[in-house]
Amino acid sequence: MFIRNCWYVAAWDHEIPADGFLARTVANVPLVLWRDAGGKVTVLEDRCCHRGAPLSMGRREQGGDCVRCMYHGLLFDREGRCIEAPAQQRIPIQAKVRSFAAVESHRWIWVWMGSLETADASLIPDTRWVDDPGWRCESGYLHYDVNYLLVADNLLDFSHLPFLHPTTVGGSTDYAAVLPTIERLARGVRLAKWVAGTEPPAYSARYAQLAEGARVDRWMNYEFLVPGVLLMDSGMLPAGTSTPGGHRDGSLAFRGCQALTPETDTSTHYFFAHPHNFLLERPEVTREIHAGIVQAFEEDRAMITAQQRNLLRDPAFRMVPLGVDSALSQFRWIVDRLLALETDAA
Amino acid sequence: MSFPMALRVVASRAEARDVMTFDLRGSPGTELPPFEPGAHLELELPGEGEGARPLVRHYSLCNAPAARDRYVIAVALDAASRGGSRALHARLRAGDLVQVRSLANHFPLAADASRHRFVAGGIGITPIRSMIHRCEEMALDWSLLYVTRSRVRTAFLDELQALGDRVSFHFADEHAGRRADVAQALAVEEAGEHVYCCGPGALMRSVAAATGARAPGSVHFEWFALDAPPAAQAIGDRPFEIALRRSGLRLRVEAGTSILETLEAHGLGVPFSCREGLCRTCETPLCAGEAEHRDLVLSDVERGAQASLMVCVSRARSDVLELDL
């Protein structure tokens, strides 16, 4: 079961071709995405109301303002209404495909999986760093064969960093030993930590031109919002020159943006970008940073996929919780509560 | 007959090493007040020595409730006895009279359970034996995990073995002294089943840990008044108040009820996951008052700071805890 009244990232903007379709399943619903004559993203359920054929195997018509099912020829407008049916003058009002609210924002295509009337664009998380000229990043996507909450668990408990990622994003053990403060939000949690005078992380130290053995002040603040959107603010300054919440002048900083979108109960789309604010004139730096992040995420994926297999093998298995689970448990509690609210309202 | 009453010991016998049963009856033909499985008697025993104050002790009834003419108690000789079990073992004999002050039950069978799962440790078998009698009479679904130090110290061994594979035993001396794997035994939960545990504190705690995710009210414990350390018992049994700074509410946390359950009962749920002090999800800022920390996640420094507590397990040392809720 997934939260319906929620914005899900369905695609990177470039995944939707100018003259074709993208078929993608979100929260167990098959979707077809395409651009209408004005270039606006349109999203319908990818299932013709007649015999259930995928519309993504159909044809854009009228410059993209209509889609024709290429099984029996029904023609649908952007709202999913059937406006032409084979060998029939009167089209039943039931001949309709469900349509979804979609918003293109900072290179991501967000789809509201609840009813059209309840779609509230103000709830779309702010990921402006992905296309801000003051920052650089590449677009990332991974597919996971696991339930999305297992990946959310991973992103809400960074105590795994020195173990699973010793050579990538791991960092020093003194930094890992500092647990973040956790704040409960209406639709997620906010984590914050700031560690003074620690070792710089390997993956960004080489860009900082620090003296050998020089230490840094590091911060890592992020929000994690339903369904699984991570908005990271991390960075470092030379040791002794920063304060929590203080200035960021001259910092080496990142604004990681990540979105987990459940595909099915046991598979997940993972969209991510890791914008950085330094060495913007050197595209190879952006490529290196992105490759480092992908490598770390592959480490996560190998472990979490094996974990999911173990969990499916024995449904009676009970996890032993630990203190480091606080943020992920609070997030899961918020997910459960939103699901319960939707069930009660239904 | 009504309480208090004097009952006569008509028989006493050794059931296992250091375990004796005493069969208490009124005058011939007398029906005693009925009891439900899980009930215990409060006995007044003569103190040791001239002019000594009488000892007041509680013993669970272990006989079938259907037998209305008798109360049978089983008593283990406790090496650290504060007098009660030693007085009974050493001095109480057939023909003696004992004063029964009252009958009470804090450990009843749940009427709506589809299945009863018992976990007994040592002399903790006493109330559960009575419960099993009732289950057998009513043809209820039940099972028992019975943990003891060794076969010779296992009371009612033969009769329980005769009940077949619904009873599983764990004799510690046959497992190199290892404890029973309670988590494994209780891993699979059937819908509607209730768990009952009576035994030493360590066993009760491991059952509590293994059943933390179960529905509230489906797991039952009988604490021996004698076994609980006096200080812990005092805090565990003691009700206290919580004052909620943001909402201005003041609530009473009853003995046997957690702060979290009290909050939930008033529609004030906070995030939780394990409900056993392991996951830190329900950590709540403490504005004033002194907490009795019972979780496993706070460091010694954090415990001393008294700045927050896990409301699922921790209680109060002070009369009031002020929480930032």
Side-chain angles (χ1 to χ4, degrees):
Chain A
M1 200 151 71
F2 302 112
I3 301 169
R4 280 175 286 116
N5 293 311
C6 195
W7 291 101
Y8 288 81
V9 175
W12 279 98
D13 55 1
H14 61 79
E15 291 186 281
I16 306 178
D19 53 357
F21 299 107
L22 173 69
R24 179 150 284 161
T25 296
V26 171
N28 282 327
V29 180
L31 301 177
V32 56
L33 300 89
W34 80 93
R35 293 183 185 280
D36 67 13
K40 186 180 179 320
V41 174
T42 306
V43 180
L44 296 183
E45 188 162 6
D46 191 15
R47 190 174 65 197
C48 177
C49 58
H50 172 220
R51 307 293 289 174
L55 298 177
S56 56
M57 293 173 74
R59 188 167 72 200
R60 289 168 82 253
E61 294 193 1
Q62 299 175 26
D65 285 350
C66 291
V67 56
R68 187 181 296 279
C69 176
M70 292 305 281
Y71 195 177
H72 303 99
L74 281 78
L75 187 68
F76 298 93
D77 68 11
R78 285 172 300 184
E79 279 76 47
R81 281 185 299 262
C82 178
I83 52 175
E84 207 180 297
Q88 185 161 326
Q89 284 185 331
R90 292 182 182 78
I91 298 167
I93 195 161
Q94 295 90 333
K96 192 171 190 319
V97 172
R98 187 174 171 202
S99 73
F100 294 86
V103 172
E104 188 165 352
S105 171
H106 305 297
R107 302 203 53 208
W108 280 351
I109 311 300
W110 297 82
V111 177
W112 179 263
M113 295 304 289
S115 64
L116 277 174
E117 311 79 66
T118 58
D120 178 357
S122 72
L123 290 175
I124 295 176
D126 181 4
T127 59
R128 73 182 97 139
W129 300 274
V130 174
D131 60 359
D132 184 314
W135 300 73
R136 286 276 187 280
C137 64
E138 294 197 354
S139 60
Y141 172 86
L142 280 174
H143 184 268
Y144 261 98
D145 286 324
V146 309
N147 181 275
Y148 79 110
L149 286 174
L150 289 183
V151 192
D153 292 348
N154 169 280
L155 296 171
L156 283 163
D157 171 17
F158 283 168
S159 71
H160 76 275
L161 295 188
F163 302 99
L164 192 52
H165 310 297
T167 61
T168 51
V169 294
S172 57
T173 49
D174 67 321
Y175 181 72
V178 177
L179 294 181
T181 61
I182 303 164
E183 186 186 341
R184 294 166 195 155
L185 309 173
R187 293 173 73 85
V189 289
R190 179 183 291 133
L191 287 81
K193 81 172 183 179
W194 179 86
V195 179
T198 185
E199 283 174 38
Y203 70 96
S204 51
R206 57 181 139 157
Y207 307 123
Q209 296 168 328
L210 295 162
E212 181 76 22
R215 295 191 160 251
V216 296
D217 298 337
R218 287 183 72 181
W219 63 87
M220 181 203 77
N221 309 314
Y222 64 102
E223 291 185 3
F224 198 86
L225 308 170
V226 292
V229 178
L230 189 158
L231 305 172
M232 175 66 83
D233 159 25
S234 63
M236 60 185 189
L237 278 166
T241 67
S242 82
T243 52
H247 79 95
R248 298 289 177 80
D249 304 340
S251 67
L252 222 67
F254 298 92
R255 284 284 185 163
C257 298
Q258 306 176 17
L260 298 170
T261 297
E263 179 183 45
T264 67
D265 292 345
T266 54
S267 61
T268 299
H269 305 289
Y270 188 13
F271 303 92
F272 56 89
H274 208 60
H276 62 93
N277 71 344
F278 51 89
L279 301 176
L280 301 182
E281 68 290 356
R282 288 173 51 192
E284 75 278 11
V285 168
T286 305
R287 279 198 297 276
E288 277 172 15
I289 289 169
H290 185 76
I293 290 293
V294 169
Q295 188 188 341
F297 288 0
E298 291 284 6
E299 290 166 345
D300 286 317
R301 184 166 66 165
M303 183 63 86
I304 300 169
T305 304
Q307 176 197 20
Q308 173 78 78
R309 281 199 301 270
N310 258 354
L311 296 180
L312 289 174
R313 196 170 285 147
D314 181 6
F317 168 76
R318 286 256 166 82
M319 301 181 185
V320 175
L322 292 178
V324 290
D325 300 340
S326 177
L328 70 90
S329 296
Q330 294 188 51
F331 181 74
R332 281 177 173 246
W333 184 85
I334 288 163
V335 170
D336 288 344
R337 204 184 47 166
L338 290 173
L339 284 171
L341 285 172
E342 292 189 349
T343 309
D344 291 347
Chain B
M1 291 181 81
S2 61
F3 298 103
M5 62 177 73
L7 297 181
R8 195 169 297 281
V9 180
V10 299
S12 67
R13 53 178 278 189
E15 297 288 345
R17 180 179 297 169
D18 292 340
V19 178
M20 292 187 75
T21 53
F22 299 92
D23 183 344
L24 313 177
R25 304 197 191 193
S27 50
T30 307
E31 272 203 349
L32 300 176
F35 71 91
E36 288 296 306
H40 64 265
L41 295 180
E42 186 172 278
L43 300 188
E44 190 176 307
L45 305 168
E48 275 186 90
E50 283 296 308
R53 286 209 322 222
L55 301 167
V56 176
R57 293 292 181 265
H58 299 95
Y59 297 101
S60 295
L61 294 166
C62 65
N63 58 306
R68 292 291 312 280
D69 62 341
R70 72 197 69 177
Y71 293 146
V72 182
I73 58 172
V75 182
L77 177 60
D78 181 358
S81 170
R82 292 187 295 146
S85 71
R86 196 164 59 237
L88 286 167
H89 273 251
R91 302 207 298 271
L92 202 59
R93 292 288 176 263
D96 290 350
L97 282 174
V98 285
Q99 289 295 321
V100 181
R101 303 222 302 197
S102 62
L103 171 71
N105 193 346
H106 304 314
F107 192 48
L109 282 172
D112 57 343
S114 62
R115 180 169 187 235
H116 304 278
R117 293 185 72 170
F118 304 113
V119 180
I123 196 62
I125 191 65
T126 49
I128 287 171
R129 180 171 180 249
S130 174
M131 292 167 142
I132 290 173
H133 276 300
R134 168 62 58 81
C135 289
E136 286 288 273
E137 281 165 26
M138 310 280 290
L140 303 176
D141 189 7
W142 66 274
S143 68
L144 166 67
L145 170 63
Y146 187 11
V147 181
T148 60
R149 281 194 274 171
S150 64
R151 283 173 197 269
V152 297
R153 291 180 174 276
T154 302
F156 317 118
L157 177 61
D158 294 344
E159 66 169 70
L160 290 170
Q161 274 178 331
L163 291 169
D165 60 8
R166 282 174 298 180
V167 183
S168 45
F169 295 91
H170 179 93
F171 308 110
D173 68 337
E174 296 176 19
H175 297 273
R178 279 197 304 277
R179 287 185 179 160
D181 190 346
V182 170
Q184 171 73 27
L186 295 173
V188 181
E189 176 182 0
E190 275 187 27
E193 77 176 12
H194 280 236
V195 173
Y196 307 81
C197 179
C198 184
L203 179 71
M204 309 259 262
R205 282 190 290 277
S206 57
V207 168
T211 55
R214 294 186 179 223
S218 74
V219 185
H220 313 271
F221 297 95
E222 175 79 326
W223 292 95
F224 292 121
L226 279 173
D227 281 357
Q233 187 201 350
I235 291 164
D237 286 345
R238 216 168 57 89
F240 57 95
E241 286 199 337
I242 49 175
L244 310 183
R245 173 171 281 188
R246 291 192 227 172
S247 63
L249 283 171
R250 212 174 165 93
L251 305 174
R252 183 177 157 89
V253 180
E254 298 293 346
T257 302
S258 69
I259 300 175
L260 179 58
E261 288 165 348
T262 305
L263 291 170
E264 288 171 338
H266 289 81
L268 299 165
V270 299
F272 65 86
S273 174
C274 73
R275 299 182 86 97
E276 50 189 290
L278 305 180
C279 75
R280 206 165 184 156
T281 303
C282 67
E283 182 169 10
T284 300
L286 178 62
C287 310
E290 191 184 354
E292 162 74 17
H293 293 292
R294 297 187 176 181
D295 63 273
L296 292 167
V297 293
L298 289 181
S299 66
D300 292 344
V301 171
E302 289 169 323
R303 282 188 168 211
Q306 293 283 355
S308 69
L309 79 166
M310 305 306 140
V311 292
C312 62
V313 292
S314 296
R315 300 188 70 82
R317 283 193 184 134
S318 51
D319 293 334
V320 182
L321 296 180
E322 187 180 346
L323 307 178
D324 188 17
L325 287 175

